[in-house]
Amino acid sequence: MARGQSDLLQGTLELLVLKTLSLEPMHGWGISQRLRQMSGDVFQVNQGSLYPALQRMKTKGWLRSEWRVTDNGRRARYYMLTDAGRHELARVRSEWEHSSAAVNAVLDWAGGFA
Amino acid sequence: MRWLSGAGEHLRMLLFRRRENAEMDEELLFHLDMETEQNIRLGMAPREARRRARVAFGGLEGHRESLRQGRRWPLLEDGWHDLRYGARSLRRTPGFAATIVLALALGIGTSVAVFSVVRQLVTHAVPFEDPEMLFSVEIAEAPGVGIGRNPTGEEFRAWRNGAANAADVAALRLQEAAIGDGTHTAWATAYRVSEGFLSILGVRPLLGRTFTADDHLPSSPPVVVLTEALWERHFGRDENIVGRRLHVDGQPHAVVGVVPRGLEFPSIAEFWVPLPETELFAADLSLGVIGRLRDGRTPTEARALLETLHRAMEADDPEPDRVARVGILPLPGRNAARSDIAVRLLQGAVLLVLLIGIANGAGLMLTRGMLRRREIAARTALGASRFRIVRQILAESALLAAAGGALGLAVGWGGIELLRSGLPPSMTRQMLGWAQMGLDARAALFSLMLAATGALACGLVPALNAVRGNPAAGLGSGSPDASGGGAGGRAGSRTARLLVTGEVALSLTLLLTAGLLARSLVELLRSETGYATEGVLTAQWVLPPGGYADDGIQRLQDQLLERARALPGVSSAAITAHLPTAPFGATRRYRTAGSDPDTEGTSAAWRPVTPDYLRTMGIELLRGRHFRDADDTASAGVVIVDASIADRLVAEGTGPEVVRPDPARMGGNAGAADALGTRIEVDGVSRTVVGVARTMLNPVYPGALRRTLYVPQAQAPTRSGYLVLRDAGGSAVPPPDLARAVHEALWSLDPDIAVGATATMADIASDLRGVQRVMAVAIAIFALISLVITIISLYALVAHAVATRQRELGIRMALGAGPRQLLRSAMMQGMTGVAIGAAFGLLLSAGIARLVAGLLYGVRPLDPVVFTLVLVGLLALALLATYLPARRAATTDAMISLRCE
């Protein structure tokens, strides 16, 4: 894995997939491309974790899938958010904001107590 | 509920595994292709682009596997695994599996068959559209009174006018009638029906139409609708029947339609005639009333409405305290009333068979579970959870139950076919929907439920038992025998013995009930009818209304008898008003001449007959003489009485109305001769007793006698009756040909004489005993099935018990115990349970015997012969079932026994 790129924690990957799909339905390859673009090539999504994650999220009822034809005429499985998925996105997002704020607070701590 | 959310997805993946895999591959390849195309766009050569994409993608097979892993659903896949493991383990013991499956199939099959039949007859027998919306109406004069009366014309009018928004109602009235076309005439069962009757039923005609509103106007030309059966029998399926003019009781009626077979209602109907409603509204007219609920109305609403209307009517009634309840019955409910006890008895018997089947399954599974204690202990030791082991055993019993259920359905289907073809048509003719009867969908569902129950029952007991014991004990002992088996083993054999005890009790009950019914059937068949059943043909005739004066009847009868005697093969001929088998028929009250004219007298069957009647019908004349041609209106009144009346005339006593049959009394006692010359009065006419005939049984209540008075037709002519023919022996002419010849003879005298039922006495007599015969056979079959299952259970139990005690037996043998002692010890184990079960069975049977007393004839409910025979038979079989496996154990070489495991 090249430097400057980072592996994703499982929960993080799910959050990012939910975010990506909240914009528009997309196939697996599209999701991985979009994640790379959005993160400025920082996140290199491994197919070995992307597809199982999609499947897991489908089983949890956050996503559903259907076969559609792409712009260049190929058949591909598109994933889209369900209501439960949108709900999950909102929940995880607020959780993420909380915990990243907490992490930042820790990192910014300069020592000593007021 | 969270685990449920993905259940659909999991299930889909499991069910469409192949398609899922293909789609998964397609998705991964798509990804790879897109990656390759992108590399090409970035300027790589295609080969290189592909290679890079593959490298970036990683191993395809690895992805596939991780996806498959993600798709696994442990609960379902483990269940599948359990089932496959169970099937493998059952395949290793095919005899065991077959026994359980067979026992369950027999139990389930018989119940499915009987419940299908009962449902068809009781709740689903109507072949009409939306039968659940149809009902019939009865009035119970007081709450709790079982059988109500028919509504009256007045009540019908009130409902017809007032209930229209809840239900349509129509009335019908039975009226046998002559129907003919001028060359021949039939005596047939007609129903006069009110407007809308056939359309309420939803009957669609085979030919022509049914009745219209206009047909019911008093001014309309009279019309008639025939059934397919009558059309076939009397009009040779004449395609041009519609529009033909027939005579119904002498009045011309035009045929407007023919109703197809199976849609006759009531089922004995042969044709229908419309009746103006005004003629149905008479206050004292007793009517059948049927109705169809309007859409969305319930029987409760309809009943409430009819009852309100009924009360409003009763407000004007001089007896306002009389509370009548209107009963809304499902239309086919009438079938049920016909043989209520019989149906309940069948249901009860079937439930017992089912219970026995399930107990047998549970017992065998339990036995098997004990034999597998080592295996289970090993699996527990290797880390299998108790839950997993219980599930494993339940999976096995589920397999057995599924197989038992499926086979049970087949058995049930076969049973229904057997019933359908095995019952005499005379019994089934009146049962609505009999011909359409098949395996009922609900009965099939019922069988699946039974199978599921069976699975639980068969599996749960042994499963819990298997995990209750200490696995170390099971593993540690050399064999899972009583000395080292731990609590589970002992509790298990106790449960198994309990199950066998229950089975013995239940089968003994069934066997005893069957024995009682079989014995009463034998008694019934053996009891002398008092009339000849072989070689006697009877044909019903009815004279046209008007047309014949008394002397005309006399002349006609003489001519008819003359022609009948001339028929080939006929040795004697006679005429009687009613057959001895008639369920009802005319009765008269008689009293001794000179007794107080205010006394009511004694009721007796009234049989005007021609002189040869007793000889032709084979009724024995005990004393005195037969009638003579000279016994006519010009001579003194004479009568032949039966022996029971003769006895009473001599004793001048007034005994109970119903006399129990006593073979000695049926022939009359020595005093019967003294009755000759006695004078009795009937309807104010004095008659001298000139003969004494043998007494006959009442055909409706076989336990009672039927007192009978025979008088000469010449002194009491009847306008209808039966021609009775006796063949010369060797039956030169087959009954159907003779019947046709008789019909021709009647019609040649007068084509307007209506000819009704024609049958041999043998057929009539066997129909009378149809119910008893069917019941006895059915219960006997159930009893045999239950006996077989019980004996198998017992055998398995004892075989298992000795197998687990093999070591102990070996040690005892080595210590010098003889085979005889060992045999006794091994058999005791099984026979104790049998003895206890038999005791309970006897108690249970004593109770049930009282319930079936009404179906018994010539045998007491606690008949010692039946009880002894059945008990001895069951015990003998039980001894055999315990002896065989016990002997094998007792005679096995001690060293082999000791080395065993």
Side-chain angles (χ1 to χ4, degrees), chain A residues 27-29 32-33 36 46-48 51-52 55 58-60 62 67 70 72 74-77 79, chain B residues 6 9-10 12-13 23-24 26-28 30-31 33-35 37-38 56-57 63 66-67 70-71:
Chain A
H27 44 70
W29 188 76
S32 67
Q33 293 304 303
R36 200 155 57 187
N46 180 5
Q47 292 74 22
Y51 286 98
Q55 189 169 53
K58 216 170 120 185
T59 306
K60 284 176 180 166
W62 297 342
W67 288 89
T70 64
N72 50 5
R74 288 280 310 258
R75 217 170 81 96
R77 202 202 300 257
Y79 294 86
Chain B
E9 188 71 12
H10 278 306
R12 206 167 61 83
M13 289 175 178
E23 290 191 344
M24 182 176 86
E26 186 178 351
E27 187 173 24
L28 295 180
F30 171 77
H31 189 108
D33 288 348
M34 295 303 284
E35 193 77 25
E37 278 175 29
Q38 179 166 290
F57 193 73
H63 292 318
S66 60
L67 274 172
R71 276 196 339 213

Side-chain angles (χ1 to χ4, degrees), chain B residues 817-856:
Chain B
R820 195 174 287 264
Q821 276 170 290
L822 294 181
L823 190 66
R824 195 177 316 128
S825 150
M827 284 179 70
M828 272 305 284
Q829 226 177 347
M831 288 309 286
T832 321
V834 171
I836 298 170
F840 276 108
L842 281 178
L843 283 177
L844 197 58
S845 314
I848 289 185
R850 278 170 214 290
L851 289 182
V852 299
L855 287 173
L856 300 181

Side-chain angles (χ1 to χ4, degrees), chain A residues 2-112:
Chain A
R3 203 172 299 167
Q5 294 176 345
S6 159
D7 259 346
L8 283 168
L9 293 168
Q10 183 181 321
T12 323
L13 176 60
E14 285 181 3
L15 170 63
L16 294 179
V17 169
L18 286 174
K19 171 64 193 165
T20 311
L21 289 179
S22 71
L23 304 175
E24 59 177 325
M26 208 171 283
H27 44 70
W29 188 76
I31 294 171
S32 67
Q33 293 304 303
R34 181 64 61 88
L35 277 178
R36 200 155 57 187
Q37 283 169 14
M38 291 196 304
S39 67
D41 273 354
V42 173
F43 291 147
Q44 184 80 49
V45 184
N46 180 5
Q47 292 74 22
S49 42
L50 174 65
Y51 286 98
L54 286 171
Q55 189 169 53
R56 210 163 43 238
M57 293 164 76
K58 216 170 120 185
T59 306
K60 284 176 180 166
W62 297 342
L63 308 183
R64 60 192 175 82
S65 68
E66 64 183 49
W67 288 89
R68 288 186 186 175
V69 178
T70 64
D71 296 338
N72 50 5
R74 288 280 310 258
R75 217 170 81 96
R77 202 202 300 257
Y78 276 77
Y79 294 86
M80 53 213 75
L81 282 194
T82 63
D83 285 344
R86 246 177 282 284
H87 219 256
E88 181 65 14
L89 175 60
R91 191 186 69 78
V92 178
R93 183 180 199 141
S94 72
E95 209 171 71
W96 176 261
E97 280 160 3
H98 264 104
S99 57
S100 63
V103 169
N104 287 336
V106 170
L107 294 178
D108 292 345
W109 189 52

